Amino acid sequence: MRARVVAAALLAPALACVAALGLAGCGEEDAVETAAPDESAQPALSTQAAPEGVDTQHAPTPAQLRVPEDLRARVATLMVVGVADYDQARFALDQGVGGVIIPSWADPALLTEPGRNINALREEYQRPFSVAIDFEGGRVQRHTQVFGDFMPPRALAGTPPEVIRGTGWDIGRSLRAYGVNVDYAPLLDLDVAGLDIVGDRSFNGNPDEVARVAGLFSQGLIDAGVTPTFKHFPGHGRASGDTHLQLAVTPPIDDLRGSDLRPYGPLLAAFPQASVMMGHMIVPGLGPEGVPSSMNPEAYRLLRTGDYPGGVPFDGVVVTDDLSGMRGILDYAPTMDAVARAIGSGADQALWSSGADLPRIIDHIVWCVQNGYIPEARIDEAATRVQQQLISVGL
């Protein structure tokens, strides 16, 4: 009960914050017990050597954590922004962001040009930061001319276990070679409603099969030193539409508990070092009516407590889905408003692919904290999680 009260209290400050600045506002039964996937088909812990500097076994000590003391610097570490070229990446890193994402429209030279690529930036900045990309295979794989071309997840699911894990390894090694260390994959959404945005991006319509294949694929990524990201919590497979185009509504939360949520428990138990991407779907019966999950404290509480069949508590990094490139969210709230609401509600990383207005958005979140609209403890909690992930895997 206390968790629900605290979560609800966090949403109110974020909403009050944007209201105070006069910004645009809102526009935006018996559960089936989860059976863990067949252990015989699950990946064992990797025996491959991880890339140099990657420690996949030990959590960082407090002395190793690099959580900034300055409030603005702490807030900046919660931002993940799209960068199209080397100069934009340098600007974002100069602002202190904790991560960047390589969008489809980025100049490939950001990955390949000696002295002006991601690897050069790592040498220059001498601090950990994440570089993420959407690379599922099939329809969603960015910059294949650099990273290679891989089969769709649905096709991959039909291959032997060693091929699934090996594909994760191949993708991960290719990403890591060019400085990318977070993959916004695998997708855990179930293909059960004929949604085109899901389709062959989904491994299957059966939650246990999704968990099995996603586990093998994720182990391959981790073997290669890349952090997998499970998406889109709490499940987009039966939503009313595509959140890239409009706000979408899922079946009630009690229905999701028996199906869409089922892959998360066994996977988060096996891969606590993974990230989770919070989707933008509205879930009836979950927190405030009409609020997208990415801005809904109850969605974060559900994930953190594992309050669903087979669920486990999760204390890793939670990143939002794109807060600038999806019509559904932009119709609900402008990006600066959405970032404040997401962080205030429980997100550790606010992601927007445009990267626009970065300094102003950082300053806005600082203002919200200084004026009591977002608790500083919320910033500290998120910044610590982000740094723990960066340090523990050598990012």
Side-chain angles (χ1 to χ4, degrees):
M1 177 62 71
R2 183 177 180 276
R4 293 175 184 266
V5 173
V6 172
L10 285 174
L11 178 64
L15 298 180
C17 177
V18 295
L21 291 184
L23 297 173
C26 296
E28 258 239 316
E29 287 256 49
D30 291 337
V32 177
E33 290 295 326
T34 301
D38 180 6
E39 291 187 0
S40 65
Q42 290 304 292
L45 289 177
S46 172
T47 57
Q48 304 265 17
E52 183 178 353
V54 177
D55 180 359
T56 60
Q57 301 299 318
H58 302 97
T61 66
Q64 291 175 306
L65 292 177
R66 304 180 189 180
V67 179
E69 293 185 9
D70 176 72
L71 175 60
R72 190 180 191 279
R74 262 177 289 151
V75 168
T77 65
L78 311 187
M79 309 299 158
V80 177
V81 297
V83 292
D85 55 37
Y86 175 80
D87 292 330
Q88 285 188 12
R90 289 192 83 254
F91 176 79
L93 292 170
D94 285 342
Q95 291 296 316
V97 299
V100 299
I101 179 174
I102 309 296
S104 59
W105 57 86
D107 183 350
L110 178 57
L111 301 166
T112 60
E113 184 177 347
R116 288 179 58 85
N117 58 20
I118 294 296
N119 285 326
L121 289 169
R122 291 203 183 283
E123 293 182 9
E124 176 181 352
Y125 281 84
Q126 293 293 301
R127 68 172 173 85
F129 57 90
S130 64
V131 178
I133 198 166
D134 283 305
F135 208 100
E136 303 167 5
R139 284 187 285 161
V140 180
Q141 50 181 346
R142 314 303 186 202
H143 302 285
T144 55
Q145 75 278 28
V146 175
F147 298 119
D149 192 356
F150 295 84
M151 71 182 80
R154 175 61 51 77
L156 180 63
T159 64
E162 60 271 20
V163 173
I164 299 170
R165 181 171 172 176
T167 298
W169 162 263
D170 288 342
I171 290 173
R173 289 297 288 184
S174 184
L175 297 181
R176 188 85 191 200
Y178 292 95
V180 178
N181 45 37
V182 175
D183 191 2
Y184 289 148
L187 182 136
L188 304 188
D189 299 328
L190 309 182
D191 183 25
V192 290
L195 283 177
D196 182 64
I197 191 59
V198 179
D200 65 356
R201 296 175 60 195
S202 171
F203 292 121
N204 201 277
N206 182 297
D208 295 331
E209 178 65 3
V210 168
R212 181 189 74 85
V213 181
L216 291 163
F217 181 85
S218 297
Q219 184 63 59
L221 288 177
I222 289 171
D223 292 344
V226 171
T227 297
T229 305
F230 303 131
K231 63 183 185 183
H232 304 83
F233 193 90
H236 194 293
R238 292 187 289 162
S240 60
D242 178 359
T243 52
H244 291 86
L245 307 175
Q246 61 195 16
L247 279 179
V249 181
T250 71
I253 183 59
D254 286 346
D255 288 352
L256 299 189
R257 289 179 187 277
S259 56
D260 303 69
L261 282 163
R262 283 174 54 187
Y264 284 92
L267 287 169
L268 292 177
F271 304 106
Q273 71 272 58
S275 302
V276 174
M277 178 175 285
M278 187 65 71
H280 295 321
M281 306 79 62
I282 294 170
V283 182
L286 184 66
E289 182 179 354
V291 176
S293 295
S294 55
M295 304 177 199
N296 184 342
E298 273 296 290
Y300 293 96
R301 184 201 66 81
L302 184 71
L303 174 58
R304 292 299 183 196
T305 61
D307 184 19
Y308 51 92
V312 297
F314 177 64
D315 195 38
V317 170
V318 182
V319 60
T320 68
D321 205 345
D322 192 355
L323 296 170
S324 68
M326 304 178 75
R327 192 72 253 162
I329 277 298
L330 290 177
D331 287 344
Y332 183 86
T335 300
M336 185 165 70
D337 182 345
V339 170
R341 293 176 185 227
I343 292 174
S345 297
D348 301 311
Q349 292 181 321
L351 161 67
W352 69 102
S353 62
S354 72
D357 296 325
L358 173 60
R360 188 166 71 100
I361 291 175
I362 295 173
D363 289 341
H364 172 61
I365 305 305
V366 171
W367 185 93
C368 288
V369 175
Q370 291 174 335
N371 287 273
Y373 297 118
I374 297 177
E376 189 167 353
R378 172 82 275 276
I379 303 299
D380 294 343
E381 171 189 63
T384 299
R385 285 197 185 107
V386 168
Q387 291 301 310
Q388 284 175 331
Q389 182 184 76
L390 291 173
I391 299 299
S392 66
V393 294
L395 301 183

